[in-house]
Amino acid sequence: MLAAFIGFEVIKRITPLLHTPLMSLTNALDAIAVVGAIILAGEHKNTLAAVLGTIAIVSATSNIVGGFLITDRMLKMFKPSGAKKA
Amino acid sequence: MSGILGGDLLIEITYLIATALFILSLMWMSSPTTARRGIFAGETGMALAIAGTLLHHGIVDYKLILIALVLGTIIGIPLGKVQMTAVPQRTALSHSFGALCVTLVGTAEFYLPRAEPMTRFMMAVLCMEVILGALTITGSLMAAGKLQEWLPQRPITYKGQNFVNLGLLGVAIVVAIVLVIHPDRTQLFPAIVAIPLLFGVMMIVPIGGADMPTVISLLNSYAGLSAAAMGFVLNSKLLIVAGALDGASGFILSMNMSKAMNRSFSNVLFGAFGQEQTAVAGAAEARPVRSATAEEAAAILAAANKVVIVPGYGMAVAQAQHKVRELFDSLSKRGVDVKFGIHPVAGRMPGHMNVLLAEADIPYDRLLDMDEINGDFAQTDVALIIGANDVTNPAARNDSSSPIFGMPILDVDKARTVMVIKRSMGAGFAGIENPLYFMDRTLMLFGDAKGFVGNIVRELSGGGGH
């Protein structure tokens, strides 16, 4: 709960300039749910859990990879005045 | 014995570090100079958390995990390489993936054989996880479909829509409560997946393009909250924190967005977005407007000292951002002070315009948000509006009968000259006439945003021959 509160304060200070990359970053972080999916698929307690867990890993991993990639691409584009033009 | 214990301690420590890195990652996002470090922190945290999880002693089968990780990466790479204009639909799609993961895990958890029955608290949290997850899956898919224009962008409304939608959600909650009280009625569980799935679709049906920034933020928040709920079910602090951060971020963004559209937050929360369909579109008496050519516009811009460009979704649709950069360069070279005024809900997701302009190599210190730029308009020679409409409508400020009355706008009408690049005199999203266009100081530049800006640039660099 404390962490959520800190998060709240931190996010409130982020400039509107970076709201799109913020959303794609939190999206990637959210994919930490993959942890739960890995345990499900790995423990293999029954077939249902293994199958659902595996699909869950796929969808979460695609978010991790895609989310970090695109956030990085976006942020690379933000340059201050006077920076060399690409 | 000590080996297992030591392993668990190691896992706990990696999770703790990952949690700290996630928070740092968001802190560094507050400025464009440190933001890339933030990504690095996020990536490291994620890698640690996954590595730590793989150490988990209960895991017996690594084959499936490996295949799934590789498959996810293969899907993820193209999703990370989409065009910048397609970022809103990509984001919506990834909310859907995130929610899919959470919902599947929740479902599997429900059916897992367990030694002792779930506590009521766990059942309640699990139900919340699955309900939020399921409605985010279909809601985000619908939003992505609308943004990609696979589905009609127009809001579809019918009588009693809110009643039907709230009813659906209500039924899902009732079923969840029954499950909490009688956890053994497992046959009810499919209902709390199926009903929210349906609700997600119904929720997005009445939503039009201009409401997308709010909706995407809201879905972002739901996805985060359902992940946090999953954290409670699995008793994982890491998940709770990451989910709460995502939920908080989406929540703050949707609050910003609803404030920027002058909607109350509860109005947004209950998914009653399509309400303002009061069709004011009639009474289009042909009032005279002044229009100008690219040549005239270029002459006025060249003579100006301060220019503020106001981009809107129209600029994104026309892919005009690179032409706008040429205009920016050409004017800056002549010593004109050019800034960009960006309304919070311009475009289809929060910060959409900033990303597009940054992609076109416009320095970010030239991109100002509404509160920063509004004081400047009185000293501005030319306000050039490219593909924006309702966010510049002075009726929001002074016409209490206007449906958008009270919505904060960019005060472009205070500039000495206002130029509006627009395809035609058609009304904006809200179907509201914009009195700005009929002002004496306003020049209408009719044409395609990309083509027209291109023409102005050509006139400017043509050396003012004639």
Side-chain angles (χ1 to χ4, degrees):
Chain A
M1 278 305 101
L2 183 71
F5 179 74
I6 297 171
F8 223 84
E9 288 301 307
V10 167
I11 291 153
K12 260 206 308 222
R13 271 186 284 137
I14 293 178
T15 74
L17 183 69
L18 293 180
H19 274 166
T20 296
L22 166 70
M23 199 181 269
S24 59
L25 179 70
T26 53
N27 207 265
L29 296 187
D30 193 40
I32 189 65
V34 75
V35 165
I38 289 177
I39 293 177
L40 262 184
E43 286 184 336
H44 217 305
K45 282 197 183 141
N46 57 27
T47 319
L48 180 75
V51 171
L52 296 187
T54 308
I55 303 174
I57 297 177
V58 175
S59 68
T61 314
S62 72
N63 261 357
I64 297 173
V65 176
F68 282 128
L69 262 179
I70 198 149
T71 314
D72 192 50
R73 267 181 62 217
M74 279 193 256
L75 290 175
K76 257 190 245 169
M77 300 181 320
F78 283 91
K79 296 185 200 85
S81 283
K84 208 162 56 77
K85 295 253 156 65
Chain B
M1 227 31 207
S2 70
I4 292 171
L5 205 68
D8 278 352
L9 187 66
L10 192 64
I11 295 173
E12 282 303 312
I13 291 172
T14 54
Y15 281 6
L16 197 67
I17 299 174
T19 310
L21 282 171
F22 283 178
I23 293 174
L24 273 180
S25 162
L26 284 178
M27 271 169 75
W28 281 328
M29 277 303 278
S30 59
S31 155
T33 48
T34 53
R36 291 194 65 202
R37 209 186 318 157
I39 298 194
F40 183 68
E43 285 168 342
T44 315
M46 186 65 72
L48 270 176
I50 292 176
T53 308
L54 291 175
L55 291 176
H56 202 281
H57 53 82
I59 295 181
V60 291
D61 184 3
Y62 282 96
K63 214 169 43 212
L64 273 180
I65 298 177
L66 201 70
I67 294 172
L69 285 176
V70 172
L71 217 72
T73 310
I74 293 171
I75 300 172
I77 289 174
L79 278 176
K81 299 206 173 219
V82 297
Q83 288 261 315
M84 282 303 147
T85 35
V87 162
Q89 46 269 49
R90 193 215 79 92
T91 308
L93 194 63
S94 66
H95 287 157
S96 175
F97 280 166
L100 178 66
C101 169
V102 170
T103 310
L104 292 177
V105 173
T107 308
E109 285 287 329
F110 182 86
Y111 288 111
L112 269 190
R114 39 183 92 239
E116 57 211 73
M118 267 190 263
T119 61
R120 285 197 174 156
F121 172 74
M122 258 180 74
M123 182 60 90
V125 179
L126 183 73
C127 289
M128 188 179 128
E129 172 190 341
V130 174
I131 290 176
L132 283 175
L135 74 87
T136 307
I137 297 176
T138 48
S140 299
L141 277 182
M142 287 288 290
K146 283 197 172 196
L147 287 164
Q148 186 68 39
E149 291 175 20
W150 287 336
L151 297 169
Q153 290 232 346
R154 238 170 344 95
I156 298 164
T157 49
Y158 56 86
K159 245 177 103 185
Q161 193 162 32
N162 286 335
F163 180 75
V164 171
N165 287 357
L166 287 177
L168 271 176
L169 191 62
V171 172
I173 292 170
V174 168
V175 174
I177 292 171
V178 174
L179 261 176
V180 171
I181 300 170
H182 306 284
D184 52 329
R185 299 205 179 159
T186 48
Q187 71 275 19
L188 284 177
F189 186 80
I192 69 165
V193 181
I195 296 174
L197 281 176
L198 182 62
F199 174 74
V201 176
M202 306 300 270
M203 183 175 81
I204 305 302
V205 161
I207 289 177
D211 276 332
M212 278 304 169
T214 325
V215 176
I216 290 188
S217 316
L218 196 62
L219 290 168
N220 182 5
S221 177
Y222 288 160
L225 289 178
S226 67
M230 175 175 159
F232 280 108
V233 175
L234 301 178
N235 196 18
S236 156
K237 290 190 193 67
L238 173 63
L239 250 175
I240 297 174
V241 171
L245 287 177
D246 192 29
S249 148
F251 183 77
I252 291 172
L253 289 180
S254 42
M255 272 208 306
N256 280 352
M257 296 302 118
S258 56
K259 210 163 63 189
M261 296 190 75
N262 193 35
R263 305 275 191 85
S264 75
F265 190 66
S266 62
N267 179 326
V268 176
L269 254 189
F270 289 108
F273 303 92
Q275 282 189 346
E276 295 177 22
Q277 296 307 312
T278 33
V280 205
E285 22 156 345
R287 284 159 71 186
V289 294
R290 292 171 62 208
S291 67
T293 63
E295 199 183 335
E296 289 158 340
I300 297 170
L301 283 169
N305 288 320
K306 280 183 83 170
V307 172
V308 175
I309 299 178
V310 176
Y313 184 58
M315 184 191 78
V317 172
Q319 296 272 335
Q321 64 269 32
H322 296 283
K323 284 287 169 209
V324 170
R325 205 279 315 279
E326 288 175 28
L327 178 65
F328 170 79
D329 284 346
S330 157
L331 286 173
S332 299
K333 230 179 280 163
R334 286 165 179 261
V336 183
D337 176 41
V338 187
K339 285 186 192 137
F340 290 82
I342 296 168
H343 194 277
V345 294
R348 286 295 181 265
M349 72 181 285
H352 190 190
M353 289 298 124
N354 297 298
V355 168
L356 290 179
L357 292 171
E359 184 198 14
D361 272 331
I362 290 167
Y364 63 76
D365 42 36
R366 295 271 130 193
L367 311 177
L368 302 177
D369 67 358
M370 184 167 63
D371 298 333
E372 291 172 310
I373 196 83
N374 259 349
D376 286 7
F377 279 112
Q379 291 92 47
T380 299
D381 297 304
V382 182
L384 175 63
I385 300 164
I386 305 175
N389 185 355
D390 295 330
V391 297
T392 62
N393 191 338
R397 214 171 45 220
N398 47 34
D399 177 5
S400 59
S401 69
S402 170
I404 57 168
F405 180 69
M407 172 171 131
I409 56 159
L410 290 158
D411 297 330
V412 288
D413 54 323
K414 294 192 175 142
R416 252 155 254 148
T417 305
V418 182
M419 294 201 260
V420 183
I421 301 184
K422 208 172 178 309
R423 273 171 198 278
S424 68
M425 282 307 289
F429 162 75
I432 305 158
E433 206 170 72
N434 193 339
L436 180 74
Y437 303 156
F438 307 108
M439 293 195 330
D440 287 342
R441 281 174 290 148
T442 303
L443 291 173
M444 299 302 290
L445 313 177
F446 290 115
D448 165 68
K450 189 175 180 179
F452 208 102
V453 174
N455 289 343
I456 297 179
V457 173
R458 212 169 308 127
E459 290 293 335
L460 280 171
S461 58
H466 17 236

